Amino acid sequence: MNIGYARVSTHDQTLDLQRDALEKADCEKIFTDQISGTKAERKGLTEVLSHLRDGDTLVVWRLDRLGRSLRHLIDTITALNERGIGFKSLQENIDTTTSGGKLVFHIFGALAEFEREIIRERTRAGLTAARSRGRTGGRPKALSAKEVQMLRNMAADKSLTVADICKTLGISRTTFYRYVKAGERE
């Protein structure tokens, strides 16, 4: 069964062109949205994705009507494929129910993976360069080495309460217990 999805970005735009094309493509049901494609929460898209069953085909007028980005588009179509659902884009002539359509989609996937790998490499190179200059990432420690020693001494003194120690050092109970536990492991 062909199920259609149409989207326009604003209420000033009309869905007529997309609806006509989807009806011509024999879509038995058409879900719609009138919202920007950059929005993560699209009611019509959520409904169509939950409505689709194994053997169905999701049909869109153009690729940009479905995905917010190439990554989102690939993730969505991959999820459909894993559920046994085909995908067709009328304007780009992509049909994942055919071998040619699968090829085009796999090329898109390879390009997206290539892009992710380049970003990962740049991130690693940036972290390495920062470390070589003596900078380390992550959250700064709550206590200095001197304050840690003071905390351990205070924790060993059974006359002090956890609340008193936390107030004195200006830390939370969670931080207190994290340092006490770290001290037990040493």
Side-chain angles (χ1 to χ4, degrees):
M1 173 189 308
N2 286 347
I3 309 292
Y5 174 70
R7 181 186 60 78
V8 290
S9 299
T10 66
H11 290 286
D12 297 337
Q13 297 173 325
T14 177
L15 290 162
D16 295 341
L17 173 71
Q18 293 179 55
R19 258 190 222 278
D20 292 345
L22 294 172
E23 287 170 3
K24 190 175 178 184
D26 298 324
C27 290
E28 294 182 24
K29 190 163 175 95
I30 298 172
F31 293 83
T32 63
D33 274 322
Q34 287 189 312
I35 190 168
S36 171
T38 60
K39 302 292 183 193
E41 188 63 36
R42 291 184 273 165
K43 187 179 177 201
L45 180 60
T46 303
E47 288 175 0
V48 74
L49 293 176
S50 65
H51 183 80
L52 291 163
R53 301 290 175 251
D54 187 12
D56 288 347
T57 300
L58 176 62
V59 183
V60 296
W61 181 62
R62 281 185 27 186
L63 285 173
D64 66 348
R65 301 296 88 196
L66 179 64
R68 296 187 323 249
S69 63
L70 179 60
R71 178 78 252 140
H72 178 255
L73 185 65
I74 289 170
D75 290 344
T76 302
I77 297 173
T78 300
L80 291 173
N81 188 39
E82 289 170 357
R83 292 173 48 199
I85 298 166
F87 173 77
K88 285 184 187 177
S89 174
L90 301 176
Q91 291 294 303
E92 291 85 2
N93 289 322
I94 294 175
D95 183 352
T96 64
T97 62
T98 67
S99 56
K102 285 179 184 173
L103 173 65
V104 170
F105 182 69
H106 286 295
I107 291 170
F108 282 168
L111 290 172
E113 190 173 329
F114 175 69
E115 179 186 26
R116 274 194 316 277
E117 193 59 38
I118 287 174
I119 291 169
R120 199 174 293 129
E121 287 174 8
R122 284 188 201 138
T123 302
R124 277 193 224 115
L127 290 171
T128 302
R131 279 190 209 106
S132 71
R133 286 189 224 100
R135 297 191 60 182
T136 57
R139 187 177 184 156
K141 300 290 181 198
L143 300 174
S144 66
K146 183 179 172 184
E147 290 170 319
V148 171
Q149 188 57 49
M150 196 167 28
L151 176 137
R152 291 187 180 142
N153 292 339
M154 293 170 89
D157 183 354
K158 300 299 178 192
S159 66
L160 296 172
T161 66
V162 173
D164 290 337
I165 297 169
C166 291
K167 188 174 181 182
T168 302
L169 295 173
I171 59 173
S172 69
R173 293 177 80 86
T174 304
T175 302
F176 171 83
Y177 286 113
R178 186 179 312 118
Y179 278 102
V180 167
K181 191 174 221 176
E184 291 170 359
R185 283 185 260 147
E186 291 176 358

